[in-house]
Amino acid sequence: MHFPVFDDFYQRFLFLLPFVTNFSPQDRRFTYDAPDQWQFDFPQCGGPEQSPIAITAHKVIPIGLPPLYFGLYDEPFDQLLSIKNNGHTIEFSVPTTVFGERPYITGGLLRGFYETMAVHFHWGSSQSKGSEHLINGRRYDLEVHIVHRNIKYSTVEEARNYNDGLAVLAVLFKVVRTSHSFYQPGLNEVFGSLLHLTEFNSTYTPAALLTLGSLLGTLDRGNFYAYKGSLTTPPCSPAVLWHVFAEVLPISHQELPKFWQLRDRRGRPLVNNFRPLQSLEARQIFQRSPFHEYLWI
Ligand SMILES: [Zn+2]
């Protein structure tokens, strides 16, 4: 017997099967053309406790948070960095240090230890500033994110299912009109790599052996805001304990435009890769500064 309708259906099903079985939400691509549409492919992007947010002094609760502790941050890596243009940002995985383990943090809002996984950036364009977080109503020119995984979870994919899964350190940058480079040797290596990373999927390895702390230069590591939020890219998991430093670092007006030269997977300028502000709702923002610590002694 012959069932033409069934055969037709069956053939279509077989045709689709490899796509169905290989497909996972994490594989879906996203763009910054319409971030308000992300939630239709990634439901958590429309959920609670989203990032970034505007941090304003009058909403901040100055409590005696412990300082952050930066384990192995100032020890050299045991290999060179491989920086990649992944179409959304430039990013590198953080290697182990000469002590055989990756840098880690604890303190602040964190209970337990968080191992550094990767570093990436968000920026604007010649028309627009591009930090993700705002401080006291100001959007800045550039924001770097250092992503850490709670060591009680074995992968970032696992960690993002838990509200204590990830910790991100954020540093904001303000463009200044000076040609000399600032004391942040790690960042200067990254900025110097940008001209080699113009094309989508390109990678570049700076020759210098760096420390993670050298990305932060002379940053005041003791003064930061902290709140519970999410990844700022799909799947927008509400799994991030954010620590945003209060000090804004300088970036030369000769370095910043190098970011605007990068291109995405479609060959278009990779610019304005920042997510719009999300509502704070009932969340609290804490601030830790040496002054507040003094009050608690
Ligand atoms: Zn980010």
PDB file of all heavy atoms in Angstrom, residues 20-31:
ATOM      1  N   VAL A  20      17.126  19.804  13.274  1.00  0.00           N
ATOM      2  CA  VAL A  20      16.418  19.799  14.557  1.00  0.00           C
ATOM      3  C   VAL A  20      17.343  19.292  15.654  1.00  0.00           C
ATOM      4  O   VAL A  20      17.459  19.893  16.713  1.00  0.00           O
ATOM      5  CB  VAL A  20      15.152  18.918  14.465  1.00  0.00           C
ATOM      6  CG1 VAL A  20      14.536  18.751  15.850  1.00  0.00           C
ATOM      7  CG2 VAL A  20      14.158  19.528  13.500  1.00  0.00           C
ATOM      8  N   THR A  21      18.036  18.205  15.379  1.00  0.00           N
ATOM      9  CA  THR A  21      18.826  17.596  16.443  1.00  0.00           C
ATOM     10  C   THR A  21      20.090  18.390  16.761  1.00  0.00           C
ATOM     11  O   THR A  21      20.558  18.379  17.880  1.00  0.00           O
ATOM     12  CB  THR A  21      19.237  16.152  16.067  1.00  0.00           C
ATOM     13  OG1 THR A  21      19.885  16.213  14.807  1.00  0.00           O
ATOM     14  CG2 THR A  21      18.028  15.257  15.999  1.00  0.00           C
ATOM     15  N   ASN A  22      20.614  19.097  15.773  1.00  0.00           N
ATOM     16  CA  ASN A  22      21.850  19.823  16.039  1.00  0.00           C
ATOM     17  C   ASN A  22      21.603  21.228  16.601  1.00  0.00           C
ATOM     18  O   ASN A  22      22.525  21.910  16.976  1.00  0.00           O
ATOM     19  CB  ASN A  22      22.669  19.967  14.745  1.00  0.00           C
ATOM     20  CG  ASN A  22      23.241  18.636  14.323  1.00  0.00           C
ATOM     21  OD1 ASN A  22      23.397  17.751  15.147  1.00  0.00           O
ATOM     22  ND2 ASN A  22      23.517  18.495  13.043  1.00  0.00           N
ATOM     23  N   PHE A  23      20.342  21.613  16.639  1.00  0.00           N
ATOM     24  CA  PHE A  23      20.047  22.995  16.953  1.00  0.00           C
ATOM     25  C   PHE A  23      19.953  23.201  18.457  1.00  0.00           C
ATOM     26  O   PHE A  23      19.336  22.438  19.159  1.00  0.00           O
ATOM     27  CB  PHE A  23      18.717  23.367  16.302  1.00  0.00           C
ATOM     28  CG  PHE A  23      18.470  24.828  16.274  1.00  0.00           C
ATOM     29  CD1 PHE A  23      19.062  25.621  15.316  1.00  0.00           C
ATOM     30  CD2 PHE A  23      17.647  25.405  17.206  1.00  0.00           C
ATOM     31  CE1 PHE A  23      18.843  26.972  15.299  1.00  0.00           C
ATOM     32  CE2 PHE A  23      17.414  26.757  17.184  1.00  0.00           C
ATOM     33  CZ  PHE A  23      18.007  27.538  16.232  1.00  0.00           C
ATOM     34  N   SER A  24      20.588  24.215  18.957  1.00  0.00           N
ATOM     35  CA  SER A  24      20.388  24.590  20.353  1.00  0.00           C
ATOM     36  C   SER A  24      20.284  26.102  20.409  1.00  0.00           C
ATOM     37  O   SER A  24      20.829  26.797  19.556  1.00  0.00           O
ATOM     38  CB  SER A  24      21.533  24.098  21.225  1.00  0.00           C
ATOM     39  OG  SER A  24      22.667  24.897  21.014  1.00  0.00           O
ATOM     40  N   PRO A  25      19.567  26.627  21.408  1.00  0.00           N
ATOM     41  CA  PRO A  25      19.366  28.080  21.453  1.00  0.00           C
ATOM     42  C   PRO A  25      20.679  28.845  21.467  1.00  0.00           C
ATOM     43  O   PRO A  25      20.766  29.937  20.929  1.00  0.00           O
ATOM     44  CB  PRO A  25      18.601  28.287  22.761  1.00  0.00           C
ATOM     45  CG  PRO A  25      17.938  26.983  23.036  1.00  0.00           C
ATOM     46  CD  PRO A  25      18.863  25.943  22.473  1.00  0.00           C
ATOM     47  N   GLN A  26      21.723  28.276  22.076  1.00  0.00           N
ATOM     48  CA  GLN A  26      22.993  28.997  22.167  1.00  0.00           C
ATOM     49  C   GLN A  26      23.631  29.201  20.803  1.00  0.00           C
ATOM     50  O   GLN A  26      24.488  30.051  20.642  1.00  0.00           O
ATOM     51  CB  GLN A  26      23.964  28.244  23.091  1.00  0.00           C
ATOM     52  CG  GLN A  26      23.642  28.403  24.572  1.00  0.00           C
ATOM     53  CD  GLN A  26      22.404  27.648  24.995  1.00  0.00           C
ATOM     54  OE1 GLN A  26      22.174  26.541  24.518  1.00  0.00           O
ATOM     55  NE2 GLN A  26      21.599  28.238  25.848  1.00  0.00           N
ATOM     56  N   ASP A  27      23.230  28.360  19.819  1.00  0.00           N
ATOM     57  CA  ASP A  27      23.812  28.494  18.488  1.00  0.00           C
ATOM     58  C   ASP A  27      23.181  29.644  17.704  1.00  0.00           C
ATOM     59  O   ASP A  27      23.696  30.064  16.697  1.00  0.00           O
ATOM     60  CB  ASP A  27      23.618  27.202  17.689  1.00  0.00           C
ATOM     61  CG  ASP A  27      24.423  26.068  18.297  1.00  0.00           C
ATOM     62  OD1 ASP A  27      25.434  26.368  18.946  1.00  0.00           O
ATOM     63  OD2 ASP A  27      24.016  24.919  18.131  1.00  0.00           O
ATOM     64  N   ARG A  28      22.013  30.088  18.171  1.00  0.00           N
ATOM     65  CA  ARG A  28      21.321  31.112  17.401  1.00  0.00           C
ATOM     66  C   ARG A  28      22.123  32.393  17.435  1.00  0.00           C
ATOM     67  O   ARG A  28      22.614  32.817  18.461  1.00  0.00           O
ATOM     68  CB  ARG A  28      19.931  31.358  17.975  1.00  0.00           C
ATOM     69  CG  ARG A  28      19.034  30.174  17.811  1.00  0.00           C
ATOM     70  CD  ARG A  28      17.629  30.536  18.201  1.00  0.00           C
ATOM     71  NE  ARG A  28      16.939  29.335  18.639  1.00  0.00           N
ATOM     72  CZ  ARG A  28      15.700  29.333  19.078  1.00  0.00           C
ATOM     73  NH1 ARG A  28      15.029  30.457  19.144  1.00  0.00           N
ATOM     74  NH2 ARG A  28      15.138  28.212  19.460  1.00  0.00           N
ATOM     75  N   ARG A  29      22.192  33.018  16.310  1.00  0.00           N
ATOM     76  CA  ARG A  29      22.959  34.245  16.223  1.00  0.00           C
ATOM     77  C   ARG A  29      22.107  35.417  16.668  1.00  0.00           C
ATOM     78  O   ARG A  29      20.892  35.371  16.594  1.00  0.00           O
ATOM     79  CB  ARG A  29      23.426  34.440  14.791  1.00  0.00           C
ATOM     80  CG  ARG A  29      24.458  33.395  14.424  1.00  0.00           C
ATOM     81  CD  ARG A  29      24.762  33.414  12.962  1.00  0.00           C
ATOM     82  NE  ARG A  29      25.636  32.299  12.634  1.00  0.00           N
ATOM     83  CZ  ARG A  29      25.923  31.937  11.420  1.00  0.00           C
ATOM     84  NH1 ARG A  29      25.422  32.573  10.396  1.00  0.00           N
ATOM     85  NH2 ARG A  29      26.736  30.907  11.205  1.00  0.00           N
ATOM     86  N   PHE A  30      22.769  36.463  17.112  1.00  0.00           N
ATOM     87  CA  PHE A  30      22.037  37.677  17.462  1.00  0.00           C
ATOM     88  C   PHE A  30      22.786  38.855  16.879  1.00  0.00           C
ATOM     89  O   PHE A  30      23.962  38.754  16.535  1.00  0.00           O
ATOM     90  CB  PHE A  30      21.903  37.807  18.986  1.00  0.00           C
ATOM     91  CG  PHE A  30      23.205  38.099  19.688  1.00  0.00           C
ATOM     92  CD1 PHE A  30      23.591  39.415  19.947  1.00  0.00           C
ATOM     93  CD2 PHE A  30      24.043  37.078  20.085  1.00  0.00           C
ATOM     94  CE1 PHE A  30      24.786  39.700  20.595  1.00  0.00           C
ATOM     95  CE2 PHE A  30      25.244  37.351  20.727  1.00  0.00           C
ATOM     96  CZ  PHE A  30      25.617  38.666  20.978  1.00  0.00           C
ATOM     97  N   THR A  31      22.092  39.960  16.734  1.00  0.00           N
ATOM     98  CA  THR A  31      22.735  41.184  16.290  1.00  0.00           C
ATOM     99  C   THR A  31      22.284  42.309  17.210  1.00  0.00           C
ATOM    100  O   THR A  31      21.348  42.155  17.992  1.00  0.00           O
ATOM    101  CB  THR A  31      22.346  41.564  14.849  1.00  0.00           C
ATOM    102  OG1 THR A  31      20.996  42.049  14.865  1.00  0.00           O
ATOM    103  CG2 THR A  31      22.456  40.379  13.907  1.00  0.00           C
TER     104      THR A  31
END
